[in-house]
Amino acid sequence: MEHRDTELMLKGYGLTTAELYYRMPDFRNVLNSFIWQEYDLAPDYPKLFNFIEFWQEKIEGPLHSVRFTHRKLIGPGEWRNVVGEFRLH
């Protein structure tokens, strides 16, 4: 995990995973899927919605549906500073 990822999690970001179903440009009856992951802020999900807007403007395959989940990996109550040390032998 990168240093940037840890900083984002401490600021309240969580991992957002989205599965986008879209129609193939040449075969409109065929659905395909695309998985997208990024650290994002709930409940507004600005990065996810920016990506969906980008898809609608720049990608030829029109979106059929989007499913997503969000999970905070570190919460404020889970992070603590340990100042003690135990030595054995």
Side-chain angles (χ1 to χ4, degrees):
M1 187 180 327
E2 294 181 18
H3 183 66
R4 172 191 164 271
D5 297 343
T6 305
E7 288 180 5
L8 287 174
M9 286 187 279
L10 291 173
K11 291 179 181 177
Y13 283 75
L15 186 63
T16 301
T17 304
E19 185 174 18
L20 294 90
Y21 290 95
Y22 64 96
R23 298 191 183 277
M24 299 294 288
D26 296 336
F27 304 97
R28 296 295 178 159
N29 293 331
V30 177
L31 285 178
N32 205 355
S33 67
F34 179 82
I35 303 294
W36 175 89
Q37 263 189 338
E38 184 66 54
Y39 288 99
D40 208 352
L41 277 172
D44 296 330
Y45 304 104
K47 291 185 180 185
L48 174 61
F49 289 120
N50 284 340
F51 180 74
I52 291 172
E53 287 176 15
F54 166 79
W55 185 288
Q56 291 174 333
E57 293 172 4
K58 305 290 185 188
I59 306 295
E60 288 184 26
L63 287 174
H64 174 269
S65 60
V66 177
R67 294 184 335 164
F68 71 96
T69 183
H70 180 82
R71 169 94 167 116
K72 280 190 157 186
L73 301 175
I74 293 180
E78 298 173 22
W79 182 262
R80 63 181 179 177
N81 186 19
V82 178
V83 293
E85 181 178 329
F86 294 101
R87 294 184 184 201
L88 296 174
H89 303 290

